[in-house]
């Protein structure tokens, strides 16, 4: 047993929750060729193991752990692809005899991740085929969700079809079907040897005990000694281009309009809070410029909202409209963006946005999952104290937002035309 811990570990200590939460994150640079493989690994490692060879066996074990909940999923974190194993379990203070579940929880995680349902360098064939078929079927159904499909297509227009960031996080239908059992198991071993591993915990837990238990796992022993400790840069690299546009026709009454622009302000930048507030004023609430002017006053949209991805520097507006309103809606959306670029909105609107975002942030402190997610994100940069977060939010002026949105460049427009 080596003294150095392969895991990077962050613990957010809190005694106010009845549960604890623990994430084990496998992190690698996002590559389109690996999306389907990682999604399939989440299926294989999140539902079965050698000692728990069925979903029923896993459920029974979780029930034994006083109703713990467990799952594996993939997520896009800026430039990185994260395969995340997450378990939530009871705080020992609220259990009979204050039994300490942590040793059994760590042993369970170790089994699920490091002892898969596999033999002879391949996963169980029947289980693999079933899970592959289920995932393929799920991805096929995305075509029926026109709003979601539009968001994927405008992403592809934004990045370009050959860019790793343009694809859906679960991969394409073709990629999923192309993965074979043996290559998936080989990729699983590659992941263990090359991915950075970050454990994040939140709740009433002893960091010393958690670290000691993780060091004793089989997973810790099989991880490669050369795992890098360099913290990845989450920012997605992007070079602006001419505006890409496309129209997709489908059967339906509603037309979708998705517009995406490059906003070169990232999480942690000095202008980050101005971008955050600007997006909220543009289309982040029912008091936003888009909602009030495009939906309510002009009645041009069934729904309209904006989203700011601070790890990618990407701002997207999405609407559901009537096909006959598509040109007028685009023009009115551009006018709302112009209001931000010219600082043409009231101090009252700005203060309302500040209060709303502050309340959302504070309410997140009452969620164990939010605490864990913030702790994980802060791993990638210097932690920002609660006091500094609030100070920077409150200090934003109309001129700050104006200066940020002057940098916004339109990059992509997609119309899902209902006929």
């Amino acid at each position: 047993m080596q003294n150095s811990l392969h895991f990077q570990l962050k613990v957010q200590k809190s005694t106010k929750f009845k549960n604890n939460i623990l994430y084990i994150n496998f992190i690698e640079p996002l590559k389109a060729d690996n999306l389907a493989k990682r999604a399939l690994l989440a299926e294989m490692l999140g539902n079965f193991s050698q000692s728990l060879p069925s979903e029923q066996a896993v459920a029974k074990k979780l029930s034994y752990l006083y109703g713990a909940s467990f799952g594996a999923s993939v997520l896009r974190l800026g430039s990185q692809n994260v395969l995340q194993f997450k378990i939530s379990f009871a705080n020992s203070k609220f259990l009979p005899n204050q039994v300490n579940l942590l040793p059994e929880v760590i042993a369970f995680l170790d089994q699920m991740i490091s002892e898969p349902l596999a033999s002879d360098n391949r996963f169980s064939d029947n289980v693999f085929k079933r899970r592959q078929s289920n995932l393929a079927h799920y991805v096929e159904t995305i075509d029926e969700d026109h709003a979601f499909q539009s968001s994927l297509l405008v992403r592809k227009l934004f990045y370009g079809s050959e860019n790793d960031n343009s694809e859906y996080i679960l991969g394409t239908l073709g990629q999923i079907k192309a993965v074979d059992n043996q290559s998936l198991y080989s990729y699983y071993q590659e992941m263990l040897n090359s991915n950075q591993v970050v454990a994040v915990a939140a709740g009433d837990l002893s960091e010393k005990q958690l670290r000691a238990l993780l060091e004793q796992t089989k997973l810790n022993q099989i991880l490669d000694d050369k795992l890098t400790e360099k913290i990845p840069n989450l920012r997605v690299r992007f070079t602006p281009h001419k505006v890409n546009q496309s129209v997709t026709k489908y059967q339906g009454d509603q037309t979708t309009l998705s517009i995406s622009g490059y906003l070169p302000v990232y999480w942690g930048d000095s202008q980050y809070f101005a971008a955050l507030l600007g997006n909220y004023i543009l289309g982040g609430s029912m008091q936003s410029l888009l909602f009030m002017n495009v939906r309510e006053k002009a009645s041009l949209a069934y729904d309209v909202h904006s989203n700011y991805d601070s790890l990618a520097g990407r701002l997207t507006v999405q609407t559901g409209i009537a096909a006959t309103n598509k040109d007028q809606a685009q023009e009115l959306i551009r006018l709302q963006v112009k209001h931000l670029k010219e600082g043409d909105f009231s101090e009252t609107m700005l203060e309302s946005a500040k209060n709303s975002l502050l309340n959302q942030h504070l309410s997140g402190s009452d969620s164990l999952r939010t605490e864990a997610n913030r702790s994980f994100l802060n791993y990638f940069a210097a932690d920002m104290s609660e006091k500094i977060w609030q100070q920077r939010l409150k200090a934003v002026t109309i001129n700050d937002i104006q200066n940020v949105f002057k940098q916004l460049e339109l990059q992509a427009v997609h119309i899902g035309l209902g006929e």
Side-chain angles (χ1 to χ4, degrees):
M1 182 67 63
Q2 301 182 18
N3 293 324
S4 60
L5 181 67
H6 294 309
F7 292 98
Q8 305 294 312
L9 176 64
K10 283 186 67 71
V11 178
Q12 184 67 36
K13 181 73 174 178
S14 179
T15 59
K16 63 182 179 180
F17 299 105
K18 291 186 177 181
N19 283 347
N20 301 308
I21 198 165
L22 175 61
Y23 296 164
I24 304 293
N25 303 285
F26 286 79
I27 306 165
E28 73 172 18
L30 191 146
K31 300 174 184 176
D33 290 344
N34 289 343
L35 294 175
K37 294 175 185 177
R38 291 176 81 81
L40 283 166
L41 276 184
E43 293 288 320
M44 298 303 299
L45 303 178
N47 294 284
F48 316 93
S49 72
Q50 282 285 0
S51 56
L52 301 169
S54 68
E55 292 172 274
Q56 291 78 12
V58 172
K60 185 176 180 180
K61 179 64 176 181
L62 292 171
S63 178
Y64 171 77
L65 294 174
Y66 292 89
S69 62
F70 169 75
S73 59
V74 287
L75 59 114
R76 189 193 311 268
L77 194 66
S79 64
Q80 304 298 305
N81 186 322
V82 181
L83 174 52
Q84 184 176 83
F85 299 89
K86 177 173 58 183
I87 189 165
S88 175
F89 56 101
N91 184 333
S92 62
K93 291 180 179 179
F94 300 95
L95 294 176
N97 301 318
Q98 297 190 349
V99 59
N100 182 11
L101 287 181
L102 190 57
E104 289 193 77
V105 165
I106 297 299
F108 169 78
L109 281 174
D110 194 27
Q111 289 175 358
M112 299 301 291
I113 301 172
S114 64
E115 300 176 9
L117 186 57
S119 60
D120 299 323
N121 295 321
R122 59 192 297 117
F123 293 101
S124 165
D125 281 313
N126 290 336
V127 172
F128 169 76
K129 290 175 182 177
R130 186 169 71 249
R131 285 289 159 171
Q132 184 182 42
S133 177
N134 290 346
L135 185 62
H137 176 71
Y138 175 77
V139 170
E140 277 186 304
T141 63
I142 292 173
D143 289 337
E144 301 170 12
D145 186 338
H146 300 305
F148 187 62
Q149 187 66 226
S150 184
S151 71
L152 294 180
L153 290 171
V154 80
R155 167 184 282 275
K156 191 176 287 287
L157 291 171
F158 183 90
Y159 287 111
S161 59
E162 301 303 316
N163 190 294
D164 286 329
N165 295 285
S166 67
E167 300 295 347
Y168 181 39
I169 190 61
L170 300 183
T172 66
L173 182 61
Q175 287 172 332
I176 293 168
K177 290 182 175 181
V179 178
D180 64 77
N181 194 339
Q182 195 164 3
S183 67
L184 182 64
Y185 190 83
S186 294
Y187 177 74
Y188 162 69
Q189 294 177 310
E190 177 187 326
M191 182 188 78
L192 293 179
N193 288 322
S194 64
N195 280 203
Q196 188 166 15
V197 184
V198 179
V200 177
D204 192 5
L205 295 168
S206 163
E207 180 172 346
K208 182 178 180 180
Q209 183 189 26
L210 180 55
R211 185 176 293 274
L213 289 168
L214 286 172
E215 285 179 333
Q216 296 169 20
T217 60
K218 180 180 180 183
L219 175 63
N220 186 60
Q221 296 174 48
I222 62 178
L223 291 176
D224 192 287
D225 290 340
K226 297 179 181 179
L227 278 179
T228 176
E229 293 184 2
K230 184 178 180 181
I231 297 175
N233 186 340
L234 299 183
R235 296 187 181 193
V236 178
R237 295 179 180 179
F238 182 78
T239 302
H241 51 70
K242 66 178 181 64
V243 180
N244 291 325
Q245 303 184 62
S246 69
V247 176
T248 303
K249 296 181 180 181
Y250 62 84
Q251 295 299 313
D253 297 327
Q254 185 172 306
T255 289
T256 60
L257 169 63
S258 298
I259 303 172
S260 198
Y262 179 50
L263 188 64
V265 177
Y266 295 85
W267 175 68
D269 285 353
S270 60
Q271 293 182 309
Y272 166 70
F273 286 98
L276 195 67
L277 282 162
N279 172 68
Y280 192 85
I281 291 168
L282 176 64
S285 75
M286 289 189 292
Q287 287 74 47
S288 67
L289 294 173
L290 288 174
F291 191 91
M292 295 301 297
N293 295 324
V294 180
R295 185 185 187 278
E296 295 297 291
K297 291 182 181 179
S299 299
L300 290 177
Y302 309 112
D303 174 60
V304 59
H305 61 274
S306 65
N307 176 68
Y308 165 53
D309 184 342
S310 64
L311 298 178
R314 191 165 72 102
L315 188 139
T316 303
V317 174
Q318 289 187 277
T319 73
I321 58 177
T324 53
N325 293 333
K326 65 182 188 301
D327 295 332
Q328 191 178 355
Q330 283 192 68
E331 186 59 35
L332 195 52
I333 289 169
R334 289 192 176 97
L335 180 59
Q336 309 317 304
V337 174
K338 183 180 178 183
H339 287 322
L340 287 174
K341 290 184 175 182
E342 295 179 350
D344 186 16
F345 55 94
S346 68
E347 286 284 355
T348 300
M349 181 171 277
L350 174 58
E351 289 306 312
S352 177
K354 288 179 180 180
N355 289 333
S356 295
L357 285 177
L358 178 58
N359 289 335
Q360 288 178 18
H361 183 78
L362 293 175
S363 66
S365 299
D366 293 327
S367 164
L368 185 64
R369 180 173 296 182
T370 301
E371 288 279 296
N373 288 338
R374 287 176 182 172
S375 182
F376 182 39
L377 189 59
N378 283 336
Y379 163 77
F380 296 92
D383 289 359
M384 189 182 301
S385 71
E386 189 66 38
K387 182 179 180 181
I388 292 176
W389 196 96
Q390 294 187 33
Q391 286 176 344
R392 291 185 180 178
L393 181 78
K394 292 176 181 178
V396 174
T397 66
I398 288 178
N399 189 56
D400 292 333
I401 295 175
Q402 183 180 358
N403 288 335
V404 163
F405 272 76
K406 283 179 179 178
Q407 303 173 65
L408 180 64
E409 296 182 63
L410 179 64
Q411 296 292 289
V413 179
H414 176 265
I415 297 174
L417 192 61
E419 294 183 326

